[in-house]
Amino acid sequence: MEKITVVGAGAMGRQIALQCALSGFNTSLNDSRPEGLVAAEAFTRDYLDGRIAKGKLSEEKKAAALANLRFCPDLADAAAEADLVIEAIIEKFEPKAELFQALERICPPKTIFGSNSSNMRGSRLAETTNRPDRVLNIHFFNPALVMELVEVVVHPKVPAEVTEAVVAFCRRIGKTPVVMRKEIPGFIVNRIFRALTREAISLFEEGYASAEDIDLAVTKGLGHPMGPLRLLDTTGIDVSYLARQDEYEETGVETARPNRILKDMYEKGEWGKKTGKGFYTYPKD
Ligand SMILES: NC(=O)c1ccc[n+]([C@@H]2O[C@H](COP(=O)([O-])OP(=O)(O)OC[C@H]3O[C@@H](n4cnc5c(N)ncnc54)[C@H](O)[C@@H]3O)[C@@H](O)[C@H]2O)c1
């Protein structure tokens, strides 16, 4: 595996692409919004300069990473020669399925398609393509440049050599992969996180304690580095709401149904840090 394409240059995609470029992969980053790519490029340069200022990166490594990373507004240009495409676009089934179908027309048959979805089973996306054996979940965590874990979630159509190639890729970019051999929406970490956040949100919406005190209780009482409500604001209320709503619509399982306040916040555009307001408010800068 040498050439990587990342589609979706938002919070996740820009960092996944940079991690690949820093690890020596020839990487293309695409976004359907030109301003998304401009912001991703600005982020990349700021991040690399910040690492240099902290003495964690050399000028040579910065130059090598920038040489490895292309910002491509055209999907065909970005993906035509990819060995692996990782999609990190909006957490909705239809756009992801449409993207994979478009990629199928662009990419050679060998190309593996990975979805960074936080929740959606890869087999649902695989079934919409003619290469179900090469479509699976490759789930990174936020911030992708820092968090080591990647969940590789396979389904019965994915042969061992594809899983092995993806696991080897994850290791080459310095990550720690875990393989889920049987699919379930939300995978491992988000299922556990969701159980925690469902209860934290419910305590908040029923008025039992403030967001600050709920988070303080979890950090000081359970030793978590960040409280669940602060973490929801950081990962994005929209991402959590859409993931849970998608699972609820697919499975009808009551525990997947988004809490009432999560739906309200999603509809009001209170998506956490990215919009300046979530469970907490954030200054503009
Ligand atoms: N935010 C997190 O903490 C987190 C963690 C793990 C996984 N994920 C998953 O990663 C994916 C992206 O999440 P995010 O937080 O980076 O979202 P985001 O909103 O920050 O970025 C999404 C980007 O995708 C672009 N986009 C949308 N449709 C597109 C298309 N058809 N083609 C090309 N680009 C398109 C948008 O312009 C945007 O720049 C989602 O599936 C999400 O569930 C998110």
Side-chain angles (χ1 to χ4, degrees), residues 7-14 16 30-33 36-37 75 87-92 95-96 98-99 115-120 139-143 190 231 234-236 238-240 243 271 274:
V7 184
M12 292 302 292
R14 64 182 66 171
I16 296 169
N30 166 264
D31 199 286
S32 53
R33 289 179 312 121
L37 277 185
L75 183 64
E87 75 75 17
I89 69 166
I90 186 170
E91 183 67 21
K92 284 190 178 164
K96 286 189 194 287
E98 277 166 25
L99 172 66
S115 171
N116 185 49
S117 167
S118 306
N119 197 61
M120 223 175 272
H139 181 219
F140 291 78
F141 288 80
N142 192 4
N190 279 343
L231 191 50
T234 304
T235 54
D238 54 328
V239 173
S240 291
W271 292 359
K274 65 173 91 165

